[in-house]
Amino acid sequence: MSVPSGMPATTTPTATPAPPPASVSQLSRQRVRSAWLFLLPTLVVLGMVAGWPLLRTFWFAFTNANLSNPEPPQFIGLENFATVWDDPDWWQSVRNTFFFTGISVTLETVLGMMIALTLNTRFRGRGVLRAAVLVPWAIPTVVSARMWGWMFHDVYGVINAMFLHLGFIDAPIAWTADPRLSMAAVIAVDVWKTTPFMTLLLLAALQMLPDELYEAAKLDGAGPIRVFFKVTLPLIRGPMLVAIIFRVLDAMRVFDLFYVLTTNSSESMSMAVYARQQMFEFQELGLGAAAASMLFAVIAMFTVVYLVLGRSAVEEAA
Amino acid sequence: MRNVLKGLAVATAVVVPTLAVAETVAISCGTVGQEFEQCKLGAEAWAKKSGHQVKLVSGPTDASEQLTMFQQQLSAGASDIDVYRVDVVWPGLLGAHFIDLKPYVSEDVLKQHFPAIVENNTVGGKLVAMPWFTDAGLLYYRKDLLEKHKQKPPTTWQELAEVAKTVQDAERKAGNDKMQGFVFQAKAAETLTCNALEWIDSFRGGTIISDDGKVTINNPKAVEALKTAASWIGTISPQGVLNYEEEGARGVFQSGNAVFMRNWPYAWALANAPDSPVKGKVAVMALPKGGTDGKSTGTLGGWQLAVSKYSKNPAVAADLVKYLTSAEEQKRRAIVASFNPTIASLYKDEEVLKVNPFYTSLLETFTNAVARPSKVTGAKYSRVSAEFRNAVHAVLSKTGKPEDKLKALQKKLESLGRGGKW
């Protein structure tokens, strides 16, 4: 980003070195070899815990694999994908997931930015506050979902008690029962839980910015809002994009929040919950694998978009 | 000397084979209400008697979640669990993974159990599970509140709605603002399938799918039943029932905040436990009819015990099953925790009736009980159940009209059932 436009001419030679003499080539070959050797354990482990299950899932997606059928699965081509594609419940889960992702990531980015900016200023107790902000992030999602489930309870939940006391509502609300309300509940819990993550990444980016820039801006007489939009935001755009894409990818495969907090009816499912139901509840391993593969494809698509966007952002800056 | 000792050891092993090895078997226990505790007590009594050891495995309260867990275990051929607790709708689904218990249970013992359940648990001539306790939906009500407001126990759902509304409104006016008229189980889980089937059957709207495999759900009686149920939400039932399971409903009823509750028999012992706020104020009856020409019904539930084919000690595990399903243990469980025996003679047992006076009327409920269409749909049952309860849940949360939802459901189930050849 900060590479001056004149630099590439001088940096090119190091990037593509001229054919080296034979002795050097042997040394570098040796280096490459040892590099691979050091990487090997990681690659093997990665292949076992990530690659193999992924490939198996892809394979199952093209078969009639069924949990209650002990015979080996048979290849059936694209049938599973067609079935999932034609299932309105799948599209409902896609809509739910996208809606959830859009709203929660937006809220998390805005809130995270506000908190990060606050924590970035110097005041007493900043260290303690910074640690405290992280608490929701440290609690396992299932635990926080269950905890919020009780807080949202319609008859003895603390949220209804609070709202009733404050006069916001005049009758208790069943937050997790109605599909429309449970979406709001799930988003609220997700925002509560992952805003700290956003804050942390944005704070790290903010702390990299040199003070001189702000001093210069101050001298030029720019107000805080102008400074934010003209100086801060453009400078942390890269890290912010990374943070957002991380959250988007994470939110797309949301499972536990929906599973614990909602009624699990087809109207309030996320894509991952849909895949799980096909796979285990209905024993349709093949169908579930197809749904999981489609979820994977959606996530991969976002990653590609991010990579393209990220590259153009870099080029723009350069 | 060493040889002599060795010889002695061998001789002992031959003469007293039971002393030779103390095996450990693992059993999965339920976690609803007192189930885990009673399962533990029974299993430990057996361990003491047999000299073996027993390991308890607990699981999720939701039956379909537990099925998921079991299915993963069984399809992987895992030997971690020897004895599985099996829902009445699972034998067809999981039967292939269980051993035949016939060699371990004598014909006489088997004859004591309700024949319908034994038949349900027999898959392809194999007795894959032993009946442990049986269930049917019941109506619990607060007899003190009904007396106080001069109301009679209802015989139809319409009457129930009226009585519930009257009592609820009067109680709320008197400052009891948490009072609810009727709580039941409407979370989109297996339990909603049970509840909804009861409504539909009580209106004589059939059993979703008939015994010969035809989809029958889209009929005017079923529409009427669902319309009735949907009208309760927000009037006599809290919106929250849409996310209640058994324990959610019991929590509200047992803390004294509901007039009526639909639940399984296990709730009786808990509602009358010494620390229960509603102790002595509760009565039980059959579920109401759907209109005067409807019928009283209840969805047949209940749990069986099965031994995994992958168990390392099938014989010992079968012995545990035999003990837990015996008349003696079933009687103990009926007395301390109101688990309904599967042995008919226990319904006439004085000691059992003293604690559970409602058992006499229950026998009738059991004969009228409606079974979920698990036998005819076989391996596809969980799919059928999910489609059904999702449609019902949509009607209850008022995101769809019963007419439309049942029409769509009919079509979906028909394509799932390939013209009745499940």
Side-chain angles (χ1 to χ4, degrees), chain B residues 319-374:
Chain B
D319 192 55
L320 171 60
V321 169
K322 224 170 97 181
Y323 177 82
L324 288 177
T325 56
S326 68
E328 180 198 352
E329 170 67 4
Q330 289 207 6
K331 182 172 166 182
R332 185 190 74 79
R333 290 167 58 92
I335 291 171
V336 299
S338 325
F339 284 111
N340 281 9
T342 59
I343 296 171
S345 64
L346 288 176
Y347 288 82
K348 291 178 192 114
D349 188 292
E350 297 261 317
E351 286 171 77
V352 173
L353 285 179
K354 213 175 111 194
V355 193
N356 303 299
F358 61 97
Y359 270 19
T360 30
S361 58
L362 262 192
L363 254 187
E364 194 197 347
T365 305
F366 281 126
T367 37
N368 284 328
V370 51
R372 285 165 275 173
S374 62

Side-chain angles (χ1 to χ4, degrees), chain A residues 292-306:
Chain A
S293 303
M294 282 160 85
L295 172 57
F296 177 84
V298 171
I299 292 180
M301 201 174 72
F302 269 92
T303 317
V304 170
V305 168
Y306 160 69

Side-chain angles (χ1 to χ4, degrees), chain A residues 66-68 70 87-89 153-156 172-174 176-181 259-267 269 274 276-278 280-284 287, chain B residues 64-65 67-68 71-72 75 93 97 178 180 187-189 238-244 248 251-252 255 257 379 382-383 386-387 389-390 393-394 397-399 405 412:
Chain A
N66 190 300
L67 277 184
S68 54
D87 188 353
D89 288 351
H153 194 279
D154 62 321
V155 177
Y156 30 76
I173 292 178
T176 59
D178 189 295
R180 289 151 292 200
L181 279 172
Y259 193 64
V260 175
L261 273 178
T262 74
T263 61
N264 287 320
S265 72
S266 53
E267 285 169 316
M269 265 185 202
Y274 176 91
R276 176 208 163 270
Q277 189 181 49
Q278 300 294 328
F280 299 117
E281 208 177 323
F282 301 160
Q283 299 89 44
E284 299 272 10
L287 263 185
Chain B
S64 27
E65 268 177 57
L67 176 61
T68 300
Q71 226 145 16
Q72 288 173 57
S75 63
L93 203 62
H97 297 288
K178 281 203 176 121
Q180 307 292 343
K187 178 173 174 160
Q239 198 84 33
V241 289
L242 292 170
N243 208 6
Y244 285 179
V252 175
S255 56
N257 291 327
S382 45
R383 177 137 227 165
E387 297 293 358
R389 70 195 187 221
N390 276 329
H393 198 270
S397 58
K398 306 201 170 80
T399 52
K405 284 286 165 185
K412 213 160 188 179

Side-chain angles (χ1 to χ4, degrees), chain B residues 254-266:
Chain B
Q254 199 168 317
S255 56
N257 291 327
V259 188
F260 292 101
M261 167 177 75
R262 181 267 175 211
N263 216 325
W264 307 97
Y266 84 96

Side-chain angles (χ1 to χ4, degrees), chain B residues 20 26 46 48 50 80 82 96 151 257 330 378 411:
Chain B
W46 168 81
K48 216 168 171 188
S50 67
D80 302 332
D82 302 282
Q151 298 290 326
N257 291 327
Q330 289 207 6
K411 248 172 100 185

Side-chain angles (χ1 to χ4, degrees), chain B residues 45 52 60 101 105 107 171 180 212-213 260 290 293 341 398 414 418:
Chain B
H52 295 294
L101 288 169
V105 184
E107 197 60 39
E171 283 291 309
Q180 307 292 343
D212 55 357
F260 292 101
D293 54 347
K398 306 201 170 80
E414 267 164 4
R418 298 200 197 93

Side-chain angles (χ1 to χ4, degrees), chain B residues 112-401:
Chain B
Q112 299 172 357
H113 295 267
F114 286 127
I117 308 180
V118 174
E119 200 216 333
N120 176 70
N121 296 358
T122 308
V123 178
K126 257 173 60 184
L127 180 68
V128 297
M130 270 301 281
W132 194 19
F133 62 96
T134 178
D135 262 340
L138 295 172
L139 186 70
Y140 290 75
Y141 64 93
R142 289 281 301 279
K143 54 181 183 204
D144 61 322
L145 289 180
L146 258 56
E147 272 164 30
K148 185 176 157 193
H149 298 283
K150 300 191 179 59
Q151 298 290 326
K152 272 192 302 209
T155 56
T156 64
W157 290 112
Q158 291 81 350
E159 274 176 41
L160 178 135
E162 284 160 28
V163 174
K165 185 103 182 84
T166 312
V167 177
Q168 170 190 291
D169 290 354
E171 283 291 309
R172 283 190 188 172
K173 220 175 235 170
N176 202 349
D177 59 354
K178 281 203 176 121
M179 184 56 73
Q180 307 292 343
F182 179 40
V183 287
F184 52 100
Q185 297 84 35
K187 178 173 174 160
E190 185 63 28
T191 189
L192 177 58
T193 299
C194 297
N195 276 258
L197 183 58
E198 277 161 4
W199 308 329
I200 290 173
D201 188 48
S202 76
F203 276 85
R204 298 188 189 276
T207 56
I208 310 169
I209 291 159
S210 67
D211 287 341
D212 55 357
K214 256 179 65 192
V215 183
T216 59
I217 188 59
N218 187 21
N219 65 67
K221 290 284 178 196
V223 170
E224 202 187 334
L226 292 193
K227 255 189 194 153
T228 309
S231 73
W232 302 331
I233 312 276
T235 52
I236 57 168
S237 304
Q239 198 84 33
V241 289
L242 292 170
N243 208 6
Y244 285 179
E245 290 177 43
E246 284 82 356
E247 293 291 85
R250 188 172 69 84
V252 175
F253 183 77
Q254 199 168 317
S255 56
N257 291 327
V259 188
F260 292 101
M261 167 177 75
R262 181 267 175 211
N263 216 325
W264 307 97
Y266 84 96
W268 171 261
L270 292 160
N272 283 306
D275 61 347
S276 164
V278 293
K279 180 178 186 279
K281 299 174 183 167
V282 180
V284 183
M285 60 186 283
L287 288 166
K289 297 177 196 175
T292 39
D293 54 347
K295 66 171 185 180
S296 265
T297 181
T299 295
L300 189 69
W303 293 85
Q304 343 294 320
L305 288 176
V307 175
S308 162
K309 218 162 76 176
Y310 318 106
S311 164
K312 292 201 178 94
N313 304 301
V316 182
D319 192 55
L320 171 60
V321 169
K322 224 170 97 181
Y323 177 82
L324 288 177
T325 56
S326 68
E328 180 198 352
E329 170 67 4
Q330 289 207 6
K331 182 172 166 182
R332 185 190 74 79
R333 290 167 58 92
I335 291 171
V336 299
S338 325
F339 284 111
N340 281 9
T342 59
I343 296 171
S345 64
L346 288 176
Y347 288 82
K348 291 178 192 114
D349 188 292
E350 297 261 317
E351 286 171 77
V352 173
L353 285 179
K354 213 175 111 194
V355 193
N356 303 299
F358 61 97
Y359 270 19
T360 30
S361 58
L362 262 192
L363 254 187
E364 194 197 347
T365 305
F366 281 126
T367 37
N368 284 328
V370 51
R372 285 165 275 173
S374 62
K375 201 146 191 171
V376 59
T377 54
K380 283 196 184 130
Y381 171 71
S382 45
R383 177 137 227 165
V384 170
S385 170
E387 297 293 358
F388 174 63
R389 70 195 187 221
N390 276 329
V392 174
H393 198 270
V395 172
L396 295 184
S397 58
K398 306 201 170 80
T399 52
K401 275 211 214 124

